[in-house]
Amino acid sequence: VGYCQGMNFVAATLLIHMGSAGDAFWLMLALVSGYHFRHVFAPGVPLLPLRVFQFSGLVQRQLPRLWRHLRQDHMSLDIFAHQCVLTLFSYSLEPELLAHVYDSFFLVGWKAVFRIGLGLLAALEEQLLAMGSEDISHFLHQCKRHFRLPSSESLRSDGLHLAAALRTLLRFELQPG
């Protein structure tokens, strides 16, 4: 495994939330070896096209209106999916929520990435349906600004807001097949 764009976002998130470089290192090692990120971060990113293909198929099945809208404008979700996979949402979500997103990933694996990606798109779906492809591309690139969570202060003081945000993101159940 060499350096890969996106790896710095994951490492930074782990450092911030673990508080110890040693603990962050061991979690990064677990991510690379136990969750197949070795094949995401390897030269040529060999696992990335498969994960993007899987995510696109899930969007087609779970969010058909959004899928049709994107297809009408000849748009793909590849850039959004790349960001989600390569950074484990570190680029797309607020830091207060990321620790819980990472917990979900370590508990459930890749299904958590797909469920959270679907939840994020579903939460933004009505806004995306009202846009053309150029606006959608710009909008998704700055997803962190558009996915509204309660204020950071209320996230820290009231776990209910955080739990509700996480439930919104994890609302899709994925069946095998």
Side-chain angles (χ1 to χ4, degrees), residues 47-57 77-78 81-82 85 114:
L47 189 59
L48 186 60
L50 173 63
R51 296 301 184 208
V52 169
F53 175 77
Q54 290 169 322
F55 182 70
S56 293
L77 286 171
D78 289 1
H82 283 162
V85 170
F114 299 141

Side-chain angles (χ1 to χ4, degrees), residues 24-46:
F25 168 80
W26 289 112
L27 268 181
M28 187 69 156
L29 184 62
L31 193 81
V32 167
S33 59
Y35 293 87
H36 306 289
F37 258 83
R38 167 180 286 127
H39 304 293
V40 171
F41 292 149
V45 292

Side-chain angles (χ1 to χ4, degrees), residues 86-118:
L86 286 174
T87 70
L88 274 181
F89 299 99
S90 296
Y91 189 82
S92 306
L93 295 174
E94 295 295 331
E96 294 84 5
L97 186 55
L98 281 175
H100 302 284
V101 166
Y102 278 47
D103 285 347
S104 298
F105 177 77
F106 282 112
L107 286 169
V108 181
W110 283 99
K111 277 189 176 182
V113 173
F114 299 141
R115 289 174 65 187
I116 291 166
L118 286 169

Side-chain angles (χ1 to χ4, degrees), residues 138-149:
H138 182 70
F139 187 86
L140 289 177
H141 185 68
Q142 298 189 3
C143 195
K144 199 179 277 193
R145 292 183 181 170
H146 306 296
F147 183 70
R148 300 237 188 327
L149 292 175

